Amino acid sequence: MKDKISKYFFMALIIVLIIMLSVLIYIRFFKNNSNSNEYAKLREKGQDEVLYLDYVIINSLNKLNNISYSRYEIVMKEVEDNSSQSSSKSDGEDSLQGQDRQNGEQGSTESNGTENATDQSENKTSRLSQTDSLLNANYNDIPWKEISYSIETLYTAWPTISVDLQKLNVNNEDRSNFEFTLDGAAQSIKNNDKSNALINLYNLYTFLPKFLSYFVNNDAKLNLYNTKAYLLNAYISVDKSDWENMSNNVNSSINSLQWVINSGAINEYQKSTFDKALTLLQDIKSGISIEDKEIFFLKYKLAIEQLEVLKI
């Protein structure tokens, strides 16, 4: 009888141990899976944050030479008050003619409605106007206030981005160097120092592929950022007329993008957009020999705009 009780006790103990072990395995698996999901979300957020830095830095670099992707801009203009004009007319004017004139003015306003929108309470009119051509642009008329605002947004966003990058194992030295370079960019922009602003903003951009390399195991994505970095290096050399350095960097940009295209990382649907970007880079290369600043800016604008829409 005693042996029988011991046997049942032993079997119950085994069952309890099996249940406990199963629970521990489940909890461990669930915890690991949860941690994996959290890391995946953080990694995706990190990529979005680097993409945000990409946009702000390139946009600021472009503005240093008045380069914009926009084809049109909104122009505000003061207009005279029609009611004041009417009251200044001669008292002897026929009222019917005055009414006819008002109707004619109303019809004229309606016919131009697609071009001009008037806010009578403000006495202003707005219209769409084509932006200046890069072939005859004033490259010294730099919108420093707009660029300053963009840099201030980086200062606002950077603490959060830095914490996320730390969680993604980006080392302290790289994050500190980015912040130091950001200070240099802000200082040069504050002083309206175009030459150093170009260099500092470019140096900021070179950190982006370095940041990604810590948590993105995708050489094609990294090379896409390097493609833009090489092109930006050529772009900041224009004011120095360093055409040899520009040519070398455009060549590197072409080779980097060609590697991405040949890597198998893009599908057939994407290939046409990547091929277009490659053609635009090759157009820059072929035009460097004439050493024309305005022609380079025109071709650069088309190429960087196309590169910015490429995604992997």
Side-chain angles (χ1 to χ4, degrees):
M1 182 70 178
K2 190 174 182 180
D3 290 340
K4 194 171 182 180
I5 293 174
S6 298
K7 183 178 179 182
Y8 286 141
F9 176 79
F10 182 72
M11 290 178 63
L13 183 61
I14 291 176
I15 292 172
V16 170
L17 289 174
I18 291 174
I19 292 173
M20 290 179 63
L21 184 61
S22 299
V23 170
L24 288 173
I25 292 173
Y26 175 79
I27 292 174
R28 186 185 182 99
F29 173 79
F30 180 80
K31 184 177 180 180
N32 288 340
N33 190 51
S34 177
N35 289 339
S36 178
N37 289 338
E38 288 298 318
Y39 182 78
K41 290 178 181 178
L42 182 60
R43 188 172 61 178
E44 184 177 351
K45 183 184 178 186
Q47 292 182 70
D48 288 341
E49 288 169 333
V50 170
L51 190 61
Y52 164 75
L53 296 175
D54 170 284
Y55 170 78
V56 174
I57 294 171
I58 290 181
N59 189 47
S60 299
L61 278 166
N62 287 343
K63 285 182 178 180
L64 286 168
N65 282 303
N66 274 318
I67 295 175
S68 171
Y69 302 149
S70 301
R71 302 296 191 268
Y72 295 89
E73 61 184 356
I74 297 176
V75 177
M76 301 297 296
K77 183 180 179 182
E78 295 286 345
V79 295
E80 295 181 7
D81 191 340
N82 289 335
S83 61
S84 298
Q85 285 183 317
S86 298
S87 63
S88 65
K89 297 297 181 181
S90 171
D91 292 335
E93 190 173 37
D94 186 89
S95 61
L96 181 58
Q97 290 179 342
Q99 182 64 41
D100 290 341
R101 185 173 63 254
Q102 276 190 332
N103 291 340
E105 289 175 350
Q106 183 178 0
S108 175
T109 302
E110 290 174 353
S111 65
N112 292 327
T114 57
E115 298 178 6
N116 299 307
T118 303
D119 185 346
Q120 294 182 354
S121 64
E122 296 288 342
N123 291 327
K124 291 181 180 180
T125 185
S126 62
R127 64 186 177 84
L128 288 177
S129 174
Q130 285 186 323
T131 53
D132 291 337
S133 166
L134 289 173
L135 297 179
N136 55 19
N138 181 3
Y139 294 104
N140 294 319
D141 185 19
I142 300 172
W144 289 109
K145 287 186 178 180
E146 294 180 22
I147 300 172
S148 297
Y149 177 78
S150 295
I151 294 302
E152 287 179 21
T153 65
L154 285 185
Y155 273 100
T156 302
W158 176 245
T160 299
I161 296 175
S162 182
V163 169
D164 290 338
L165 293 178
Q166 183 181 27
K167 293 177 181 177
L168 290 164
N169 300 318
V170 176
N171 68 37
N172 291 333
E173 183 179 0
D174 286 333
R175 290 183 290 109
S176 296
N177 286 339
F178 181 92
E179 188 170 348
F180 177 79
T181 307
L182 178 59
D183 289 341
Q187 188 174 42
S188 55
I189 291 167
K190 182 195 72 172
N191 295 330
N192 292 0
D193 183 350
K194 178 181 177 181
S195 179
N196 282 318
L198 284 166
I199 294 171
N200 285 319
L201 285 171
Y202 165 73
N203 288 338
L204 269 184
Y205 191 88
T206 61
F207 283 97
L208 305 192
K210 186 181 295 186
F211 288 159
L212 285 173
S213 67
Y214 283 95
F215 58 92
V216 172
N217 186 23
N218 187 331
D219 289 339
K221 182 182 285 287
L222 298 179
N223 268 296
L224 185 55
Y225 277 88
N226 286 328
T227 298
K228 289 186 278 189
Y230 287 126
L231 181 57
L232 293 174
N233 198 342
Y235 168 75
I236 68 170
S237 302
V238 174
D239 283 353
K240 299 177 183 177
S241 297
D242 190 353
W243 297 100
E244 182 179 357
N245 180 61
M246 291 163 64
S247 179
N248 291 336
N249 275 288
V250 171
N251 270 336
S252 296
S253 185
I254 290 170
N255 293 336
S256 183
L257 185 60
Q258 187 70 70
W259 186 94
V260 174
I261 293 172
N262 295 336
S263 69
I266 60 175
N267 55 42
E268 285 300 315
Y269 176 77
Q270 295 172 296
K271 192 174 186 304
S272 61
T273 58
F274 278 78
D275 285 343
K276 179 180 177 181
L278 182 63
T279 299
L280 291 170
L281 288 174
Q282 291 167 340
D283 285 345
I284 296 177
K285 172 63 178 176
S286 64
I288 284 181
S289 59
I290 64 175
E291 298 186 359
D292 187 297
K293 174 180 175 179
E294 287 74 22
I295 295 294
F296 176 87
F297 281 148
L298 177 60
K299 293 187 174 185
Y300 158 83
K301 172 187 174 180
L302 296 172
I304 195 66
E305 184 177 14
Q306 181 65 21
L307 287 172
E308 283 288 77
V309 303
L310 301 183
K311 296 291 184 293
I312 295 178

